[in-house]
Each structure stands twice: as C-alpha cells, then as structure tokens.
Amino acid sequence: MMKLFSEKSIKKALTVIAFSAIAALLLIVVFIILEGLPFIFKVGISDFLFSSEWEPQMGRFGIFPMIIGSLVVTLGSMIVGIPLALSGAIFLSEFVPRWAMRIIKPTIELLAGIPSVVYGFIGVMVLAPLIRDYLGGPGLSILAASIILGIMILPTILSISIDSLKAVPQSYREGAFALGATHWQTIHMAVLPAAKSGIIAGIILGLGRAIGETMAVIMVTGNAVILPKSPLYSVRTLTANIALEMGYATGMHRQSLFATGVILLIIIMVLNYTATIAIRRRVGKK
Amino acid sequence: MTHKIDIKNLNLYYDEFHALKSVNMVVGEKNIIALIGPSGCGKSTLLRTINRMNDLIEGVRITGEVFLDGNNIYDPGMDLYELRKRVGMVFQRPNPFAKSVSENVAFGLRVAQFKNKKKIAEIVERSLRAAGLWDELKDKLNRPALDLPLYQQQRLCIARLLAVEPEVILMDEPCSALDPIATMKIEEMMVELKRNYNIIIVTHNMQQAARVSDLCGYMLLGEMIEFNKTSEIFTNPRDKRTQDYITGRFG
Ligand SMILES: Nc1ncnc2c1ncn2[C@@H]1O[C@H](COP(=O)(O)OP(=O)(O)O)[C@@H](O)[C@H]1O
Ligand SMILES: [Mg+2]
C-alpha cells in the first residue's frame, strides 16, 4: 500500500488537487464576470452604479441604493464590532489568567459557528421590536443590521486579536515596564503596535464576513430599495438583492443580478487590497 | 553616609525555590559593577530586584532591603514607575518596540507625558549621540527599529534608556547576542557612560567583567560568595570557590 503512494505520486496528486481547487474558484469568478460584465456595458456603467431606480420589470437597473446599503451596514457593523472586539481582546489577553482563557477562548470560537439564520432570528424577534418601540422607524433597519452583524463578526476579530496580542514577546512588555510605563501605557504603546498587523488581519476577515453576509442581513435590514437618511431606515444590500430576486429573475433581470455580483466582487477585492496595503505600510511605522 | 545602592540581607523565593540567599551588596557612585557566576546562580534575579522587575512574576516573594540613595525601594509607599525611571534596564536580547527608531528613543518621554516636540527631537538626538548611533541612524529615524541589525538594536535600547536619564543602568548580559566587535563597542560605551551613570552588568564573560568593571561580585547557587574590587577578585580572590571559577576550574 505505502509503496503504491510513493513520494512522487503523492506530490503529483496534491498538485492536481490544489490546481483544481484554484481552477474551480477561477471558473466561478470568470463565469460571474462573463455573465455580468456585458450587462453592465449594455446599461452603461454610470447608469448601473449611480442610478437609484431599481425596477427590473420596467428595465431600470440602478443599484446605487444597494451599494450604499452594503457599505453603510458594513461600516455600522465595524463601528459596533471593532471597539467591542478590541477592548475584549485586550482585557482577555492581558488581564485574565491563563486557566480562564482556556475556557473562554474555545467558547468565543464556538460563537463563530452559530448559523447566521439564528443571529437573524434574534434580530427580528428581539432587536427590531426594541428599536421600533424605543427609537422609532420600522425596526428592521441599518441599526439592527449593524448590531447583529457587529456581534456576528465579533468572534472572528476577537479570536485573531487575542492570538496576535498573545504572540507579542514578553520582552516588549518588560522593556516598557522597565522604562517606567504603567500597565495601560505598556499595552497601548508597546503591545498594540506590535500586534497591529495581526489585529488588522482579523478586522479584514471580519469585514469580509460582514459585507458578504446574506441571510441575517435579509432578515433584519427590511430590504427596502431606498437611500437611507438615518440609521433607522431600512436598506437593501447587494447580497440581499441577489438572494431575494434570483429565484424568479430571467433574461436581463437575471444578468443584472450577476452584474450585482461583479460589483460585490470588486468592492470586496478593493477592500481587501487596501487593507493589505495598510498592514504593510503601518507595520513598524509610527 | 548613604550609598547609591545598598542591598541588605536580600532573600528571594520563586514559590518554594530559594533563588537569592541573604545577599548583601554595597555600591558607590559612578561605578561599573559586574556580576559573574555560573548560569542559574541568580545573577539576573538579583539584577531585577533593583528595579523591581521581579514584581511582574507571579509567585515571587522577597524579604530584606534594597536601599537606593538611602530609601528602601521595597517600602510599601514606593512609586514603582518612578523607580523604574531612575533605574533603567537593558535586556539580554535586544527588545526595541515595533516602532520607528526615534519613537523607540522617545518612548520613555512619552511615558512621562512629554509633549514638547522640539524638546523630544533634541533629546532623541542627544541620546542617540550618547549611544554612538547618531551618525549611523540620523537618516533612518523613521525606519522601523526592528529592521536594524542586532548590534544597533541593542545600542538603541541603551539610547532609549539614556533619554530618560536614569541614575542606575542595569544590564543583563547585554552582549550575549552580539559579535565581538559589537561587544567591544558596547564596552567602550559603558566606560563612557560611567562618567554620568552607575552601571551594574551581568555577564557570563569573565574577560568582559575584568575589562570594564570596578567592582565585581561572584555568585553561586543564589549566594553572593565574594564582592570586591575587580582587580582583587581576579588577582587575589579570598574564597576558594571564586578562585576555582575564575581560573576556569568550574563549569
Ligand atoms: N520566573 C522564574 N520562576 C521560577 N524560577 C526561576 C524564575 N526565573 C529564574 N528562576 C530560577 O532561579 C535561578 C536563578 O535564575 P537567574 O537569576 O535567571 O540565573 P542567572 O541569570 O544567574 O543565569 C535559576 O535556578 C532559575 O531556574
Ligand atoms: Mg541570566
């Protein structure tokens, strides 16, 4: 048996598997672009991106509200999630004893595994009514989505941030303490800068999850195709747009959803790219 | 008369382990003191009692007294942060922060809430000059310190201390990660610094102790076996165990 799988053939097999995985991904991307791009040029880039009228039956395909919806909800989730995750990570990695961490860390990682429909369900049943009753508006809103998404991305950012804070060598802390720094000064002047690239990587992962999230977002945003004037407005995101309409879309309409996918793809790529550059630029600087 | 540092009957326990046994040591002004002895004898531990870095380790228990200018630093009222500004430390492995060269040097100033930018730039330059780094690094002030070669990192860590003008500088085997030429540069620097600072250096390198120090302490298994003028220790040791060690009959 062992002889059959010689070094060489295992290597070959792995190469084939790796390439087919990459090929599959590329194929999907190419397929989406081929289906979507011609449509964008037919309608016109600026009409598609910057018109606010989305009435596929009438031949009006403006996804501007959805772009804004995706960006606003993602931004909101970051505003909710990042401060919570960062302060949590600092507290857990610096102030909680090792034995407690052994219980807390796996629990946090477990939270990442909760299906998004469950988060969405809580959003609809608990959060949205609260917002409607106390702050007004329809309840299903940017605010509700930001809070739910912020909590959803929490485990990702938290867990990676804890890891990178823990990975900072003890010698950095000692160096700071030896210069008369307080515990807090040590954390924010010596430990955080050293852990920054890891923390930013965690934030990027969280960002990717937030902008790509569909199910929970469909449930709590209200899905109205409008330009929001406040966080209490309903919005529709790009992902929700695709998911909601793909079941019955045909012809131009169907192509327009692929085109929406192309835009989503581009936004995610741009975000990832800028974030990666930001990491490279900021490591060691300041 | 008060001495710069006066260690009286100091005992330290790591949980049950008795790491320092009734250590006594008196240090005058503007001296270089070397602590030598085999690995694990408690040199680093003793050094770290002088700026209370051992307080960071769980399970450490200390009895006895360490006087700095006549004040016991283990008094409950002692301001630890103030103490550590007065007693700086250079570590075995260079440990610059993940910041730029100039921010590393300015770190202690920022810790002390210094705001005046011009003054900070001045002190950064003066400290780098004192550490013999200015000419090499003046064009690299904004580069990440971690990109520097090790010998520059270690001198940067010294510059970082000089910026806060400590009274005592503790060095824990500062040259063990460096090559002979870099080691020589650090030693030259120590002799230079001696004019303004008190230096206590832990070293496993006896030639180094003999070259740079005025006073020398030989430690073994947590005890200070002999503490005397360096020339006496190396030419005329009182204790048989010291003699064995410096003549190389030990480890
Ligand atoms: N944090 C610690 N916890 C428990 N024991 C320690 C700790 N640090 C040092 N020791 C022990 O104390 C003794 C002295 O250590 P150290 O001061 O580092 O010796 P040296 O610097 O002379 O090599 C050693 O036996 C070492 O194992
Ligand atoms: Mg040591």
Side-chain angles (χ1 to χ4, degrees):
Chain A
M1 214 29 201
M2 287 312 289
K3 285 231 176 85
L4 268 176
F5 297 103
S6 67
E7 269 319 285
K8 260 193 190 157
S9 55
I10 289 179
K11 200 169 163 190
K12 260 185 206 150
L14 286 178
T15 315
V16 170
I17 293 170
F19 271 100
S20 37
I22 296 170
L25 284 175
L26 271 181
L27 239 110
I28 292 174
V29 171
V30 168
F31 182 73
I32 293 173
I33 290 176
L34 281 184
E35 288 283 315
L37 216 49
F39 173 87
I40 296 179
F41 288 123
K42 202 157 33 176
V43 179
I45 293 181
S46 73
D47 270 356
F48 184 56
L49 289 184
F50 300 117
S51 152
S52 297
E53 282 170 56
W54 176 260
E55 282 158 77
Q57 279 75 17
M58 322 284 291
R60 297 201 187 103
F61 300 98
I63 59 164
F64 189 61
M66 275 77 97
I67 294 179
I68 295 298
S70 271
L71 292 181
V72 164
V73 166
T74 305
L75 184 73
S77 69
M78 291 287 138
I79 292 173
V80 172
I82 291 176
L84 283 177
L86 272 191
S87 42
I90 290 171
F91 175 73
L92 290 173
S93 66
E94 297 287 325
F95 297 98
V96 167
R98 231 163 251 279
W99 62 267
M101 275 302 286
R102 265 195 286 269
I103 304 167
I104 296 172
K105 188 87 193 307
T107 314
I108 293 169
E109 272 147 21
L110 201 71
L111 287 178
I114 296 179
S116 54
V117 67
V118 174
Y119 284 101
F121 187 61
I122 293 173
V124 172
M125 302 311 274
V126 181
L127 193 59
L130 279 178
I131 291 175
R132 189 173 53 232
D133 292 349
Y134 288 96
L135 298 173
L140 299 172
S141 56
I142 296 173
L143 182 62
S146 299
I147 294 174
I148 291 295
L149 273 182
I151 295 172
M152 283 178 73
I153 61 174
L154 202 56
T156 312
I157 306 181
L158 198 56
S159 158
I160 294 174
S161 300
I162 290 176
D163 286 342
S164 44
L165 285 169
K166 284 273 177 205
V168 174
Q170 194 59 24
S171 66
Y172 283 56
R173 295 187 179 82
E174 292 199 321
F177 279 120
L179 285 165
T182 62
H183 199 159
W184 172 240
Q185 285 175 323
T186 301
I187 290 168
H188 90 96
M189 292 171 66
V191 178
L192 279 181
K196 191 153 50 187
S197 61
I199 292 174
I200 295 177
I203 291 176
I204 295 173
L205 274 179
L207 192 78
R209 180 149 190 221
I211 201 165
E213 176 54 40
T214 309
M215 182 44 101
V217 156
I218 288 179
M219 293 168 79
V220 297
T221 52
N223 300 313
V225 186
I226 43 173
L227 285 169
K229 293 200 180 67
S230 89
L232 297 177
Y233 271 63
S234 291
V235 286
R236 180 187 290 195
T237 65
L238 293 166
T239 51
N241 194 40
I242 299 173
L244 287 169
E245 302 195 357
M246 67 185 172
Y248 59 88
T250 52
M252 282 280 273
H253 188 189
R254 180 175 171 279
Q255 288 179 347
S256 76
L257 296 185
F258 274 108
T260 309
V262 172
I263 301 303
L264 190 61
L265 209 66
I266 291 173
I267 291 178
I268 290 177
M269 266 166 25
V270 168
L271 282 179
N272 263 324
Y273 186 68
T274 43
T276 320
I277 294 209
I279 293 182
R280 289 220 195 97
R281 278 264 208 76
R282 298 193 61 171
V283 173
K285 273 257 174 101
K286 213 220 135 187
Chain B
M1 169 190 159
T2 58
H3 302 280
K4 189 70 205 174
I5 297 170
D6 189 353
I7 298 178
K8 284 205 170 112
N9 201 14
L10 186 75
N11 285 280
L12 184 143
Y13 303 82
Y14 291 113
D15 290 315
E16 294 307 304
F17 179 70
H18 198 173
L20 293 179
K21 300 171 184 161
S22 304
V23 171
N24 290 288
M25 187 171 116
V26 177
V27 176
E29 285 280 357
K30 316 271 188 280
N31 278 316
I32 297 181
I33 289 94
L35 297 175
I36 58 171
S39 178
C41 68
K43 306 180 295 290
S44 299
T45 304
L46 176 59
L47 201 68
R48 293 161 61 96
T49 57
I50 303 173
N51 63 348
R52 291 190 58 174
M53 285 298 275
N54 289 319
D55 288 27
L56 301 177
I57 300 171
E58 256 173 80
V60 166
R61 196 157 57 78
I62 295 169
T63 66
E65 292 158 321
V66 176
F67 292 97
L68 181 67
D69 289 328
N71 299 313
N72 184 3
I73 64 172
Y74 283 93
D75 271 346
M78 189 70 209
D79 180 347
L80 273 190
Y81 308 110
E82 203 47 45
L83 170 71
R84 291 182 184 143
K85 278 170 206 157
R86 292 172 64 194
V87 184
M89 185 157 200
V90 179
F91 296 81
Q92 190 160 354
R93 285 204 58 83
N95 59 348
F97 303 116
K99 292 173 167 256
S100 68
V101 168
S102 60
E103 275 308 311
N104 262 276
V105 183
F107 192 92
L109 304 173
R110 303 233 184 269
V111 162
Q113 318 275 347
F114 243 71
K115 293 272 152 57
N116 186 338
K117 274 194 184 147
K118 220 175 121 209
K119 193 93 175 95
I120 289 178
E122 261 173 50
I123 296 177
V124 167
E125 176 171 348
R126 195 182 63 217
S127 311
L128 284 171
R129 277 190 197 284
L133 274 178
W134 179 251
D135 291 333
E136 290 163 52
L137 293 187
K138 64 171 183 269
D139 302 321
K140 300 182 180 172
L141 293 179
N142 292 318
R143 293 269 300 278
L146 290 166
D147 287 356
L148 301 177
L150 275 185
Y151 71 95
Q152 285 184 341
Q153 289 190 16
Q154 191 62 310
R155 281 196 285 163
L156 185 66
C157 291
I158 298 177
R160 166 175 98 178
L161 276 190
L162 300 182
V164 293
E165 306 192 331
E167 299 159 31
V168 179
I169 299 179
L170 309 174
M171 299 184 165
D172 193 350
E173 307 198 18
C175 303
S176 61
L178 307 181
D179 63 51
I181 294 177
T183 300
M184 208 177 70
K185 285 215 160 143
I186 300 254
E187 287 179 12
E188 282 169 8
M189 200 176 130
M190 289 171 61
V191 174
E192 185 70 20
L193 290 174
K194 188 174 86 167
R195 290 193 289 180
N196 298 310
Y197 299 92
N198 304 279
I199 300 174
I200 305 182
I201 178 176
V202 165
T203 175
H204 57 250
N205 177 339
M206 272 184 289
Q207 286 78 30
Q208 183 170 57
R211 276 194 302 264
V212 300
S213 69
D214 306 296
L215 294 169
C216 184
Y218 172 61
M219 295 183 69
L220 186 61
L221 297 174
E223 280 182 78
M224 181 69 81
I225 303 296
E226 193 169 345
F227 186 73
N228 209 336
K229 287 213 179 74
T230 303
S231 51
E232 286 288 306
I233 292 266
F234 280 94
T235 57
N236 186 20
R238 307 268 156 86
D239 197 291
K240 173 84 171 49
R241 290 167 292 182
T242 316
Q243 188 176 5
D244 286 350
Y245 185 71
I246 59 163
T247 52
R249 244 170 288 168
F250 188 105

